[in-house]
Amino acid sequence: MKRQVKGGILAGMILCLLPGAWCSQALAEEERITKVSLEITTDFEPGDSISEEDIQIHTDSSLYKIDEWRLLNEESAWEGAAVPVVEIVLSQAEEAKFSYIGADHLTVKGTRFTFLSSKRSEKDTILNLKIKLPPIKEEVEQMETSDIWLDANGILSWPIHESVSLYRILIYRGGNKIGEKLSYGTLISIQDQITQPGNYSVKISGVSKYDGTEKTLTQRSEAVSFDMDMMSSFQTPSEELSGSWMENSGLWYYVNPGDHLAVAQWQEIDGFWYYFDHMGVRKTGWIDWNKSRYYCDENGKLLTDQVTPDGYRVGADGAVIGKEN
């Protein structure tokens, strides 16, 4: 019995001395980092410059440490629904080395994240992680009722709210709600709702472009009184036959006959073509549309069969041909 035990011990010692032996593999597995846990806090604000100082990353692990992190976004400031992309560099703190770290092996506290990639280097002692953080959100803040303007022609306007994708306008006569309208822009006619003399007011809510929730933007506006003479002026032949340009906060819109705002479309107006975005704003500069590019000058007019200010030839239909020699 003793001889057999000694033989077993000797055999085990020999196996442990052999390259790639089972005991060395088991030891190596014990020294592998198979999971990574991080805690991330951010202080991103729409309009702020992009800076690594606005993100903090920590770990409580004794097996690895955080060497550095970098924001990979190319923009200079957080705009719209920007999505932060972060590269995080980890290194071993003990003798342990990194195993493959995928989405199922990474835990992040303090924020939601989307796993993008991981890469090991320096004989598995360095780990590069890339993740996406949630979009930068701008709170949907209320507007002052004094910012709402309903003119004597039944045209309603209000300031643009960058975090809103769609507006809902509730229309009141006296104290009663009489109708509502939806608008992508901040300029709309409510002439069709003003059907009898009275005091008219509105209340506006907005749908967030970030999470789709709807929030009240204003209280009831100051009432505007309409009488029969004012209402009859809505129906002049000149207004029925043509649309009209409207300016709000330095941005230009076009209201078509029938009180429809030009939205997300090309439109020919007085012999020139213009492009209006999803908010109804007249655009200038380069416009990507239908797998081609077009250029509108500083007044929004489409350039055709000429060279753009930055040196590109556009054809008779306005589509770019190429760089002018």
Side-chain angles (χ1 to χ4, degrees), residues 124-255:
D124 296 344
T125 63
I126 302 293
L127 178 69
N128 284 66
L129 293 172
K130 290 183 182 180
I131 62 173
K132 287 195 303 186
L133 300 182
I136 306 299
K137 291 187 178 181
E138 182 177 357
E139 293 297 324
V140 179
E141 299 178 353
Q142 284 203 332
M143 297 184 293
E144 298 293 332
T145 54
S146 59
D147 293 332
I148 303 174
W149 179 251
L150 177 59
D151 69 16
N153 197 41
I155 302 298
L156 178 69
S157 64
W158 61 95
I160 290 175
H161 203 308
E162 293 295 342
S163 63
V164 170
S165 61
L166 178 67
Y167 299 93
R168 185 190 304 275
I169 300 94
L170 305 181
I171 305 163
Y172 297 83
R173 182 174 61 244
N176 300 318
K177 176 187 170 185
I178 59 171
E180 66 177 66
K181 284 193 168 188
L182 297 176
S183 176
Y184 290 103
T186 60
L187 193 73
I188 189 171
S189 171
I190 62 168
Q191 289 181 358
D192 60 325
Q193 300 292 318
I194 304 174
T195 58
Q196 58 183 275
N199 297 321
Y200 289 80
S201 59
V202 300
K203 185 163 66 174
I204 302 173
S205 62
V207 177
S208 169
K209 68 171 63 172
Y210 304 117
D211 56 19
T213 58
E214 185 170 344
K215 181 178 178 180
T216 299
L217 298 179
T218 68
Q219 301 300 316
R220 285 264 297 275
S221 66
E222 295 290 332
V224 176
S225 180
F226 289 86
D227 57 28
M228 289 302 298
D229 289 338
M230 296 170 67
M231 293 167 57
S232 63
S233 69
F234 294 164
Q235 309 301 324
T236 58
S238 60
E239 290 178 343
E240 291 180 355
L241 295 174
S242 63
S244 59
W245 286 102
M246 294 291 177
E247 185 266 340
N248 183 25
S249 302
L251 302 177
W252 285 91
Y253 305 80
Y254 192 78
V255 181

